[in-house]
Amino acid sequence: QKAADMYVNALKLKPDYENAKYNLEKTLRMIKKNKQKNKDKNKKNKNKDKNNKKKNNKQNDRKNKKQNKNQKQNERNQKKLSKKEADRILNALMRNRKPVKKDSTAKRKLLSPRFLW
């Protein structure tokens, strides 16, 4: 751009200077080409960004699906462990329980019609 300005100033001083006219045309064409290249690069970069975003979104979706699957699997495993744990606790309680007397008053109270719903 500076070169084009210089050639314009030279033509103001000498309007018939052929070399300045030629060089000015050449520099203006180069400036136009560079602007077009920059526009093309910007378009390409925007397209790349869009494609990268799409790829990242797809990858994130895949990761989220995997994480959800892992969470569900972990929950299932925890449920399995909790069943085992419950069985272990029940077995321990069954071993440690006290025998109930057959004629105890608590048993009679529970079996009386007043406590039946």
Side-chain angles (χ1 to χ4, degrees):
Q1 187 63 40
K2 287 182 183 180
D5 293 337
M6 298 289 273
Y7 289 126
V8 169
N9 288 336
L11 286 172
K12 285 180 184 177
L13 294 173
K14 288 187 179 181
D16 295 334
Y17 193 45
E18 293 295 323
N19 288 338
K21 286 180 184 179
Y22 174 78
N23 289 335
L24 177 61
E25 286 179 31
K26 197 171 185 178
T27 53
L28 290 175
R29 285 184 192 141
M30 289 175 67
I31 290 170
K32 194 173 183 179
K33 263 188 190 179
N34 286 338
K35 285 183 181 179
Q36 188 63 35
K37 283 182 184 178
N38 287 339
K39 285 182 184 179
D40 292 342
K41 283 182 183 179
N42 288 338
K43 285 182 183 178
K44 286 180 184 178
N45 288 339
K46 286 180 184 178
N47 288 337
K48 284 181 183 178
D49 289 343
K50 286 180 183 179
N51 290 337
N52 287 339
K53 285 181 183 179
K54 287 179 184 178
K55 286 180 185 177
N56 288 339
N57 287 340
K58 287 180 182 178
Q59 289 175 350
N60 288 338
D61 289 342
R62 289 179 192 149
K63 286 180 184 177
N64 289 338
K65 286 180 183 178
K66 285 182 182 178
Q67 287 176 348
N68 288 340
K69 285 181 183 178
N70 289 339
Q71 283 179 342
K72 288 179 183 178
Q73 205 168 23
N74 287 340
E75 288 173 3
R76 288 182 197 140
N77 290 340
Q78 287 177 351
K79 287 179 183 177
K80 288 179 185 176
L81 291 175
S82 64
K83 286 180 182 179
K84 289 179 183 178
E85 190 67 21
D87 288 341
R88 187 185 64 76
I89 291 170
L90 282 172
N91 289 335
L93 289 173
M94 295 294 280
R95 278 186 253 122
N96 293 332
R97 70 179 182 173
K98 295 179 182 177
V100 179
K101 294 180 183 176
K102 289 184 179 179
D103 295 327
S104 70
T105 56
K107 193 173 184 181
R108 273 186 266 137
K109 284 183 182 177
L110 286 174
L111 293 176
S112 70
R114 186 172 82 189
F115 287 101
L116 295 176
W117 306 102

